Every structure is written in structure tokens, then in C-alpha cells.
Amino acid sequence: RLAAEDAFEAVFQGLCRLLNNPCEANNTLLPSSMKQISCFQELLILLWKLIDENKEFLGYILRVGDVNELVVPMLYFMYEGRKDPSKIGLIHICTFILLLLSGERNFCVNLNAAYSKKLPVELPPFTGNHADLLYIVVHKLITDGPGKLDTLYDIFLTTMSNVSPYIKTFCMPAALRATNLFEAFATRKRLLNNPHYPRYMVFLLEVFNNVIQYQYEGNPHFIYQILRRKKVFAELKEMAEGPHPEDHAPADADKHKRAASEEGAGAEGGKKEGAVS
């Protein structure tokens, strides 16, 4: 069991150096100029066990270490892993680690640090913090990820909700993608056909509420994007107040058709009886 802070520092620095190796190896000017390790999945499992079972180590990395040195490679693995079905397990590990960390206040506050690295992936250009990177990657996983990731949507959105009260400023691309997710989940057809979508809506509404309640002054981009979805909120209000007439229209039409056909059949039967007599 690790206890001394010098041991914590050695382990933390070693994990950061090794987990950042794939990003750095794929981001060099000369191809293959840096050897890339392939044991990063095992390293992530080790990290997960350390922060889950050793609270002193978790407290150390949140208090002293730069936890964003772990966040960036995990988001990189998640972004790249969506293209490869064999890396679904890797995405699961990174997602669980981020969920565990998002429950800690110090972690959420540290996400306000400016993001300055350049990952070897096609991210939208933005100037912001590490929370912006988190939101952009989660949006990509939900909108452009394999269908097997739908079991992780709850965790993705819970992580977004957990960090939202502590983020002083979201950039425009991150705010746009968060509200786009809300608009995509809020369609009447999806809400009625998928029992999980109302739950997803609750998480996103919690994000909006946290931004408005705790970080209103520093998030004009987020507030603007929420105001632009006025029509979506109005449609949700109509759904909450009562069923839409269109929901019963097909059933009513079928009833009228059956009644009309029965009346027609009765009239034809009366004509035949009159002819026979």
C-alpha cells in the first residue's frame, strides 16, 4: 500500500509519462522517431485500481499533481478508440475513471486550466480549457461512435453534469455541442420510442441549470446557445402538459374507417334481403 508522498509522485509521474507516450509518438515531425508502447490499457487498469482503492493517492494527485496530464491521454484514447471495435473495452475503462474523478471537486476545478496541447486527431479548432475538450470528445462519441457505446451514454452525460458547476467558461464549440446533444435527444419521436432518452434529457438539463445557476457571468456562449433552443423547450413543455393530438389521430382515423366499413356492410346486407323478398 503506497503511503509516502515521494512514492506517490514517482508513480504519478511514471503513469503520466507512459500514458502520454502514444499521443506524443503519433504527433512527432519524423514518423517512427519515438517508440510507442502498447500496454496503455494495462496502465489504465492500474490507474483505476490505484484511485479506487487508495484514497491517499487520489487525494495526492488532485491536490499536488496535474491531473490534466491524465485526462488528455484518456480523452485521446476514447476519441481514437471509437473507430476500432476492438477498443470498446479501452473506452469503458477511460469512461469509468473519468466518472470516478468527476465526483471530486478538485478534479472539476482543475479542468479550468487552459488546454494548450495539440492531439494527433481531427478536433474542431477551439481555444478553451480541458472541460471544453471533454465536452467535444463526448459529443463525438455519442454522435459518431459505434452503437455498442449506447450503454455508456448515462456515464458520459453524468460526467458532463458533475463537472458543469465548476467550469468558469465554456468555449463556443463546447457549448454548441452540448446544446446540439440536447436538441437531438429532445425530438418527440425519440423520446416516445426510446425509454432511455428522457433520462439523457435530465442530465443535459442539469448541465444547463448548473451553468445558469453557478457560472452565469462567465458563460455567455452557453447562455446564447440555450436561448437559441427556445423552440425545443416550448415543444418539451407541450409534451409535458399533455398528449399531442397527432398521437391519437391515427387511432381515431382507424376507428372511423372501421365504423364506416361496418355501416357499408350493413347497408349492402339490407339491399340483398330486400331483393330476395
Side-chain angles (χ1 to χ4, degrees), residues 36-271:
Q36 181 177 342
I37 64 172
S38 58
C39 61
F40 45 82
Q41 187 161 343
E42 289 78 5
L43 288 168
L44 288 168
I45 295 174
L46 174 62
L47 173 62
W48 183 17
K49 298 298 290 184
L50 282 172
I51 62 178
D52 186 36
E53 298 187 5
N54 194 323
K55 299 304 178 184
E56 290 83 1
F57 178 73
L58 174 61
Y60 172 82
I61 67 174
L62 294 176
R63 185 182 70 256
V64 180
D66 183 6
V67 72
N68 291 319
E69 289 295 316
L70 298 175
V71 172
V72 173
M74 284 192 289
L75 293 176
Y76 168 73
F77 294 143
M78 293 168 69
Y79 194 92
E80 283 291 282
R82 78 186 199 283
K83 304 175 183 177
D84 187 353
S86 65
K87 293 183 178 179
I88 297 296
L90 178 64
I91 297 177
H92 276 71
I93 297 172
C94 294
T95 303
F96 294 144
I97 294 175
L98 289 173
L99 176 65
L100 181 61
L101 292 174
S102 69
E104 302 291 334
R105 179 184 181 278
N106 288 341
F107 170 78
C108 300
V109 172
N110 286 333
L111 291 179
N112 284 292
Y115 171 72
S116 57
K117 289 188 176 183
K118 181 175 176 59
L119 292 177
V121 292
E122 297 180 359
L123 289 172
F126 73 97
T127 302
N129 51 44
H130 289 79
D132 295 320
L133 178 64
L134 171 64
Y135 274 44
I136 290 171
V137 170
V138 167
H139 172 270
K140 193 69 174 179
L141 289 169
I142 293 177
T143 59
D144 191 32
K148 294 181 180 179
L149 290 183
D150 58 357
T151 56
L152 295 178
Y153 288 1
D154 272 0
I155 303 178
F156 291 154
L157 298 174
T158 301
T159 304
M160 291 175 63
S161 177
N162 287 347
V163 306
S164 58
Y166 304 95
I167 308 306
K168 297 178 179 179
T169 303
F170 284 99
C171 69
M172 178 64 82
L176 176 63
R177 280 158 177 77
T179 49
N180 281 348
L181 283 178
F182 171 76
E183 189 171 5
F185 289 142
T187 59
R188 173 182 293 272
K189 183 177 180 181
R190 290 181 175 179
L191 287 173
L192 294 177
N193 293 339
N194 192 319
H196 301 292
Y197 274 48
R199 181 173 173 81
Y200 302 157
M201 292 290 300
V202 171
F203 290 125
L204 290 169
L205 288 172
E206 285 181 358
V207 171
F208 299 163
N209 182 68
N210 291 335
V211 170
I212 294 171
Q213 184 174 358
Y214 301 109
Q215 304 292 345
Y216 180 84
E217 293 182 359
N219 280 292
H221 299 310
F222 222 123
I223 303 303
Y224 172 70
Q225 293 299 331
I226 292 174
L227 292 175
R228 285 189 60 195
R229 272 65 182 185
K230 177 181 177 181
K231 183 179 178 181
V232 180
F233 284 100
E235 292 175 352
L236 286 175
K237 182 182 177 183
E238 291 179 1
M239 290 182 62
E241 289 177 347
H244 196 276
E246 293 180 357
D247 296 339
H248 300 289
D252 293 341
D254 292 339
K255 289 181 180 178
H256 290 311
K257 288 181 180 178
R258 286 196 298 269
S261 61
E262 289 175 359
E263 291 178 359
E268 291 179 0
K271 289 181 180 178

